[in-house]
Amino acid sequence: MPIEVPNTSEPEDKRLSLPRPVALGAVGNGQSLADHGQAIIRSRGFCLCYGDQVGVKNIDMEVYPRSVTSIIGPSGCGKSTFLRSINRMNDLVPNARAEGVLEVNGQDVYDKRVNLVNLRQQVGMVFQRPNPFPKSIFDNVAYGPRVQGIRRAARLAEIVERCLQHAALWAEVKDDLRKSALALSGGQQQRLCIARALATEPKVLLMDEPCSALDPVATARIEELIARLKNDYTIVIVTHNMQQAARVSDRTAFFCLGELIECGLTRDMFTTPQKRQTEDYITGRFG
Amino acid sequence: MSELANRLERLTLRLDHMGMCAEQAVIDALAAADKGDVQAGRKVFDLDRVIDREEVEIEQECIRLLALYQPAAIDLRMICTVIKVNNDLERIADKGAKIGRSVKKIVTCRLDLAGEEEFIRLRKDALEVLGRTTRMLSTRELATARGILEMDHIIDEDHRALVRSALHSKTESLGIEGVWTLINIARALERIGDLCANIAEDIIFLRTGDIVRHADSLGEIHP
């Protein structure tokens, strides 16, 4: 079922009608994704420019449901630009212009009629640095559902508990939900941000270097969390950490100078990449 | 050049050297067997001990590189290949030592290897494939690797012919002890052929990422 394009009479906060991802079963590193159904994200000839400057060009790529896709590449290669294009975060950049097709569940997200709020509820995002609101832990997670119009305390409490459990944070904060989110450690704040993103029941989670500001222990917890979340969500992660991409993702895409050089199963990319450029990059001979 | 690239280059040079030592061990052992020189046969043990020590050091360096650099792609395939080839070369040197140990028996049984037609053929083919294998360690040519896999079948056939001939028609002329010694040496040469074939498969993996081992029985290549 495609993203519903609301008509003008519909309320602004109407949920997008993205269906749950097709139940494909867990997709582990050892399995082929080639036949795992239809892609949930698909780009064809997608370009994004900032004025005259090209961010990404002619990207043909597919992301499959309930899997983790990592995007790697040198600084300035367009990996964050592409990631942020998926939920149109680049709309906030002056002179940003998109061409080609970028679909989520069969609907072009750059269709002018797409409701941006709904799109971002369905395609959640976690950023490089944890950015909790200066509110309590409870209010951070309940923020999205409240925006969606949920007011009943019991329902909100249920959502907050479920999301904190999904984000592997519940056991640590359940007795202190009214504490300020800013009092949590960096790793806990990042998991809180993930819980907050889950609260709007997204189908896709975009993660832009989610561990770059965390220590190895917090990083390991986020990676364990990603492995669990992929049973229910589709995850696209941008990372500079090659070992992290190898550890957490099923598929890897290598970007360079705004172009997609190679995209394939992670296990193949890190053992036998098809393109010389990819091999040079992941073996540190790039440049 | 990165530190990892430097260390990998040094590692592959050590492996090349180890290949030459293993080949030399087999050549020396066969020369000692030809001449019935027990002393020369014993010297192969010394070379084998040096190779054993080198095998351990190369393996330790591989483990260090894996732990410190978390290599990927060609670097990862290279280290995996070195670990496996290193082990196979050590076993080739062991086979040389085994032949060296047999020299005493050759003398006792008055076994004239130079007069055994099937043995001469097996020995020639085994040394040929061993020479190609050690050269391939530096060239890493796919065509050479595939040629070695073909030659292993020839060595297997040479070995079968020798065993057939020894059991059917040589028990009287060589005696049981002589036939047993001949078959043991032939078995060592046949195993050297197998180990060279293993190394050729590892070189194919290094170059292509394909695991061709057991492709016959499994009916597929594992990329």
Side-chain angles (χ1 to χ4, degrees):
Chain A
M1 192 188 297
I3 295 173
E4 187 177 297
V5 179
N7 62 41
T8 49
S9 63
E10 282 179 323
E12 190 67 4
D13 63 348
K14 184 179 184 303
R15 302 288 304 270
L16 288 173
S17 55
L18 279 166
R20 295 290 291 175
V22 183
L24 299 170
V27 180
N29 274 332
Q31 290 176 271
S32 167
L33 283 159
D35 300 318
H36 276 275
Q38 215 179 349
I40 188 168
I41 300 170
R42 184 193 303 269
S43 71
R44 289 285 173 267
F46 181 75
C47 306
L48 193 124
C49 304
Y50 304 110
D52 294 338
Q53 195 187 340
V54 176
V56 289
K57 57 186 172 192
N58 293 325
I59 306 297
D60 291 339
M61 185 174 149
E62 290 173 344
V63 174
Y64 294 95
R66 297 192 185 187
S67 68
V68 181
T69 301
S70 62
I71 303 178
I72 59 171
S75 297
C77 70
K79 51 191 187 303
S80 289
T81 294
F82 182 72
L83 187 85
R84 295 161 68 92
S85 299
I86 298 171
N87 68 350
R88 288 183 53 179
M89 292 293 282
N90 290 318
D91 286 12
L92 305 171
V93 180
N95 300 323
R97 190 179 78 254
E99 288 169 16
V101 176
L102 179 53
E103 296 174 345
V104 175
N105 245 17
Q107 174 65 52
D108 186 356
V109 297
Y110 281 87
D111 185 319
K112 286 187 169 48
R113 294 167 300 170
V114 164
N115 182 318
L116 269 187
V117 173
N118 292 342
L119 171 68
R120 288 173 190 159
Q121 283 171 351
Q122 297 296 289
V123 185
M125 189 149 191
V126 177
F127 297 88
Q128 189 171 357
R129 291 195 169 275
N131 56 350
F133 301 138
K135 294 171 177 287
S136 71
I137 294 167
F138 185 96
D139 287 342
N140 262 272
V141 183
Y143 190 89
R146 280 177 178 143
V147 169
Q148 290 175 328
I150 298 171
R151 292 280 180 268
R152 208 158 56 83
R155 174 73 182 129
L156 284 173
E158 184 190 314
I159 292 171
V160 169
E161 179 175 343
R162 178 175 50 80
C163 294
L164 287 171
Q165 275 175 345
H166 275 200
L169 190 59
W170 176 250
E172 293 162 59
V173 300
K174 64 181 180 195
D175 298 325
D176 231 352
L177 293 174
R178 295 294 162 194
K179 188 166 87 172
S180 168
L182 302 178
L184 296 172
S185 71
Q188 287 174 323
Q189 285 186 10
Q190 193 63 305
R191 278 182 282 146
L192 177 65
C193 292
I194 292 172
R196 190 177 63 191
L198 298 181
T200 58
E201 295 189 17
K203 304 297 175 277
V204 178
L205 261 186
L206 308 176
M207 297 185 166
D208 195 354
E209 298 187 54
C211 303
S212 64
L214 305 181
D215 67 26
V217 175
T219 297
R221 296 208 65 170
I222 297 287
E223 288 180 4
E224 286 165 16
L225 178 57
I226 290 171
R228 277 206 302 276
L229 289 175
K230 80 169 180 181
N231 294 322
D232 298 306
Y233 306 92
T234 303
I235 297 172
V236 185
I237 177 172
V238 162
T239 178
H240 269 124
N241 182 333
M242 228 82 69
Q243 279 71 45
Q244 181 172 68
R247 283 192 299 266
V248 304
S249 66
D250 302 295
R251 290 172 67 86
T252 298
F254 170 57
F255 278 58
C256 189
L257 298 173
E259 291 183 73
L260 173 64
I261 304 299
E262 187 172 346
C263 182
L265 291 173
T266 298
R267 64 174 190 199
D268 294 339
M269 289 276 278
F270 283 85
T271 53
T272 49
Q274 297 303 303
K275 300 278 176 65
R276 181 60 190 262
Q277 265 176 293
T278 316
E279 178 145 297
D280 285 350
Y281 181 71
I282 64 178
T283 57
R285 292 177 176 84
F286 189 81
Chain B
M1 192 184 275
S2 71
E3 177 62 16
L4 174 62
N6 269 325
R7 289 175 73 163
L8 273 175
E9 194 169 308
R10 286 201 295 274
L11 190 65
T12 52
L13 286 175
R14 285 180 79 167
L15 194 75
D16 288 353
H17 182 250
M18 184 157 161
M20 285 186 261
C21 290
E23 184 182 7
Q24 195 59 51
V26 176
I27 290 171
D28 290 352
L30 286 168
D34 283 347
K35 292 178 200 156
D37 185 342
V38 178
Q39 201 64 28
R42 283 206 187 106
K43 277 191 181 170
V44 179
F45 303 170
D46 299 335
L47 185 54
D48 186 40
R49 273 196 288 274
V50 172
I51 291 170
D52 286 350
R53 199 163 48 239
E54 182 68 359
E55 187 219 1
V56 171
E57 285 179 18
I58 287 177
E59 190 172 312
Q60 284 172 333
E61 175 67 356
C62 289
I63 292 167
R64 278 192 289 269
L65 294 182
L66 285 170
L68 297 178
Y69 295 93
Q70 295 99 43
I74 183 66
D75 296 342
L76 177 63
R77 299 204 303 277
M78 173 60 82
I79 294 175
C80 291
T81 300
V82 170
I83 289 172
K84 297 181 78 181
V85 170
N86 182 40
N87 182 246
D88 285 338
L89 289 175
E90 187 274 332
R91 289 167 70 192
I92 287 173
D94 278 351
K95 298 299 167 197
K98 183 181 175 185
I99 296 170
R101 263 197 305 276
S102 303
V103 176
K104 200 173 170 186
K105 284 224 169 132
I106 290 171
V107 174
T108 316
C109 306
R110 294 182 185 163
L111 184 61
D112 179 18
L113 293 175
E116 300 298 329
E117 192 187 326
E118 290 86 1
F119 181 79
I120 292 169
R121 193 175 326 126
L122 173 60
R123 172 201 157 115
K124 177 179 155 293
D125 287 339
L127 284 178
E128 172 68 23
V129 84
L130 180 57
R132 286 191 194 188
T133 301
T134 52
R135 285 193 296 278
M136 175 185 64
L137 291 178
S138 50
T139 63
R140 297 170 204 159
E141 283 175 355
L142 274 178
T144 309
R146 293 193 176 114
I148 288 168
L149 291 178
E150 287 298 315
M151 278 197 75
D152 183 41
H153 297 308
I154 297 170
I155 291 173
D156 289 346
E157 188 45 51
D158 290 346
H159 175 249
R160 275 193 292 273
L162 183 144
V163 172
R164 257 195 317 268
S165 161
L167 291 177
H168 287 139
S169 57
K170 305 241 160 113
T171 45
E172 280 192 18
S173 58
L174 302 179
I176 295 294
E177 194 82 354
V179 166
W180 184 248
T181 306
L182 179 63
I183 287 177
N184 268 340
I185 297 173
R187 172 74 181 146
L189 292 175
E190 189 268 336
R191 285 296 298 142
I192 287 171
D194 288 345
L195 293 164
C196 290
N198 290 353
I199 293 171
E201 287 165 352
D202 294 336
I203 294 296
I204 292 173
F205 168 73
L206 173 68
R207 290 288 307 276
T208 66
D210 293 335
I211 296 175
V212 295
R213 199 168 57 254
H214 312 310
D216 290 346
S217 57
L218 298 176
E220 59 188 47
I221 289 174
H222 301 277

